[in-house]
Amino acid sequence: MVPVEPESRVRPTRGADRPPVGGVTAGSAVRGPAVTGNVPVGRSVAHARPRRAGGRGSPGTARAGDSGRPGGVRRGLVLGGGGVLGSAWMIGALHAYEEATGVDPRTMEIIVGTSAGAVLAALAGHDVSTTTMIDQQRGVVLEGVPYLDYARINATAPPTPRLRLGSRRLLVASARNPRSVTLLIAFTAVLPQGRGTMEPVERLVESAAIGRRGGWPASPRVWIVAMDYATGERVVFGRPGAPPARLSRAVVASCAIPGWYEPVRIGDRRYVDGGARSATSLDLLADLGLEEVLVLAPAASFDTDRPRHPAARLERRFRRSVTRRLLREAALVRAGGTVVTMLAPGRDDLAEIGANLMDVRRIPRVLETSLRTSAATLAALRGDPTPA
C-alpha cells in the first residue's frame, strides 16, 4: 500500500460509494493503495497492449480501426474543458496514462470532447499521438505535423468585445423559464459578443483530417459538445441525429468562450462553448455498455489548495461546482456497471495553473508538472512505488 501525496488527483468509481473510512473516501470494486487527502482508494485500469511509437501512426501497430477493441475491453475517453492550460494538463495526463497502462488513447471506442478537450479529441481521432501533442506544447514544429500558434487565437486575453448582448434569444428564454437553465447559462446570454477568432484552431483540425469526408474519423467515434446560443441546449456533434457539421466547425463551436470568441454559425444556428452546459458531459456515455471510461477533467479538482489571491479563490470555487456536477454525471455512468476513473489537477498542478486558464506563458510548467503528478497517481493506482 503506497500512499499518494496530496498532489495526486484521481477518483475511480464503480457502483455506489461507500461511506468515508478513516478520512479516506472508499469506492467499491477497487484495488490498489489507500490514498491520503481528499482522494479515494485507487484502482488500476491497465490492460496492456503493445506500445506504439509517437507520430501520426506507426506501421505494424494495432489501431482501434484495425481490431475494434484492443484487449477486448470497450473503453471510452472524456476530455473536458479547461482553457489552454487545461489542454496542456490533459496532454500530460494522457501521455502518462498511455505510458502507465499501454493503452493508446487513439484506440478508445469513443471520445467525448468539450472546449479544449474537443481539440484533443479531434486530434486523437485523426491519429495524432500524445508524443506529438507534447512536442507541440513544447514548441517543437515538425514538417507535415499540425501545429497551433496560441498567439493567433487571442489566448492570453480577449480582444475588446462588441457592445451588444451575446444572445437576446437565450436571455428571453432564461427569463421565461428560469428553471430550465443554470445561472452560468443565463450569464452567457448577457455577456457582450466576443470578437476573438478560432480560425487557427479550425485550420489545425482540418490539417489533421486531410482526406476524411467531413473531417470525422470512422474510429474512434468522436463526439463534440457545444451549446446552442439561442436555446441553451446541449448539442453533441458527431452523434446520430446531430446537426450536420464538419468536425473542424464543431470543434471551434465547442471552444467559443462567450464574451471572448465569436459565436460559431453552423447552418442557421449559433453555437458557443459546450462547457457552459457541462465541463465534461460524461453523462453522454451512460448506457452505452462501455466497460471502462477515463475522464480527464482539468476544470475540476479532488484535492484543491487554498490560494490567497482573490481571483484564484474565485476560480477554486468554480472548480468545486464543476466537481460536484462531475460526480453526479459519474454516478449515472457507473450505474450501468461501467468503471469510471476521473483525473483532475491536484495541488501541485493548481499552483502552476494559477487563476487564468488561458495564460499561455504557463503552458510549459503545467505540462511538465502534469507529466510528473499524473505518472505518480497512476503508479499508485497500480500499486507501484511512487516515482520520484
Side-chain angles (χ1 to χ4, degrees):
M1 303 283 281
V2 182
V4 182
E5 295 303 321
E7 70 201 21
S8 302
R9 58 271 172 270
V10 59
R11 188 178 181 98
T13 59
R14 185 173 190 174
D17 283 347
R18 296 173 184 168
V21 179
V24 179
T25 304
S28 60
V30 298
R31 64 183 176 87
V35 185
T36 62
N38 186 26
V39 189
V41 171
R43 177 190 183 276
S44 171
V45 295
H47 289 270
R49 62 178 297 274
R51 196 170 286 128
R52 55 187 299 183
R56 296 192 58 174
S58 305
T61 55
R63 287 298 318 277
D66 302 326
S67 59
R69 301 172 189 172
V73 179
R74 299 186 62 194
R75 295 186 179 91
L77 174 63
V78 175
L79 302 173
V84 297
L85 297 185
S87 177
W89 179 85
M90 284 189 289
I91 290 171
L94 270 180
H95 186 72
Y97 171 79
E98 183 175 357
E99 290 294 304
T101 67
V103 176
D104 189 325
R106 295 172 290 182
T107 65
M108 298 288 182
E109 181 175 324
I110 184 169
I111 305 177
V112 177
T114 302
S115 197
V119 181
L120 301 187
L123 294 179
H126 284 303
D127 208 21
V128 177
S129 69
T130 59
T131 300
T132 298
M133 294 181 193
I134 287 175
D135 286 342
Q136 292 173 344
Q137 295 289 294
R138 289 172 173 166
V140 178
V141 182
L142 301 175
E143 185 177 356
V145 176
Y147 179 77
L148 176 62
D149 182 359
Y150 286 105
R152 300 185 64 185
I153 61 170
N154 310 109
T156 299
T160 303
R162 294 182 176 88
L163 297 180
R164 64 183 70 169
L165 280 176
S167 177
R168 187 179 301 274
R169 291 180 62 184
L170 179 57
L171 180 61
V172 171
S174 301
R176 287 178 175 173
N177 193 3
R179 292 186 178 182
S180 67
V181 299
T182 65
L183 182 61
L184 178 59
I185 293 174
F187 180 65
T188 66
V190 301
L191 287 173
Q193 289 186 14
R195 299 174 61 120
T197 176
M198 298 297 292
E199 287 184 7
V201 172
E202 189 168 2
R203 289 196 297 270
L204 172 75
V205 176
E206 284 290 341
S207 64
I210 291 176
R212 305 288 182 95
R213 184 177 181 180
W216 294 92
S219 181
R221 285 182 288 165
V222 174
W223 290 357
I224 302 298
V225 183
M227 185 181 81
D228 187 311
Y229 208 19
T231 65
E233 295 177 347
R234 179 170 64 180
V235 177
V236 186
F237 292 103
R239 189 169 68 167
R246 292 192 64 81
L247 174 60
S248 58
R249 292 297 286 172
V251 168
V252 295
S254 182
C255 294
I257 302 171
W260 195 308
Y261 295 106
E262 290 186 57
V264 174
R265 186 170 291 278
I266 298 176
D268 61 351
R269 313 292 294 183
R270 294 190 307 156
Y271 300 92
V272 293
D273 196 321
R277 290 289 312 189
S278 168
T280 60
S281 284
L282 166 60
D283 58 302
L284 292 174
L285 298 187
D287 302 321
L288 293 187
L290 298 172
E291 296 168 64
E292 297 176 359
V293 170
L294 172 67
V295 184
L296 302 186
S301 184
F302 301 112
D303 184 32
T304 190
D305 56 357
R306 296 177 179 271
R308 295 183 179 181
H309 194 281
R313 293 174 67 180
L314 182 62
E315 193 268 358
R316 301 304 189 265
R317 178 177 293 183
F318 172 73
R319 282 184 180 276
R320 290 194 290 272
S321 174
V322 170
T323 304
R324 288 193 295 269
R325 175 168 185 133
L326 175 60
L327 292 174
R328 291 195 298 270
E329 293 180 355
L332 295 175
V333 178
R334 71 175 187 256
T338 301
V339 175
V340 178
T341 300
M342 297 173 280
L343 276 72
R347 296 187 185 188
D348 281 12
D349 303 288
L350 294 175
E352 298 298 344
I353 290 172
N356 182 6
L357 289 166
M358 300 293 283
D359 189 347
V360 297
R361 298 168 298 179
R362 292 174 174 260
I363 286 176
R365 300 200 303 271
V366 171
L367 171 67
E368 302 303 329
T369 302
S370 177
L371 286 167
R372 173 176 58 82
T373 58
S374 298
T377 297
L378 292 164
L381 286 179
R382 297 194 317 273
D384 297 344
T386 304

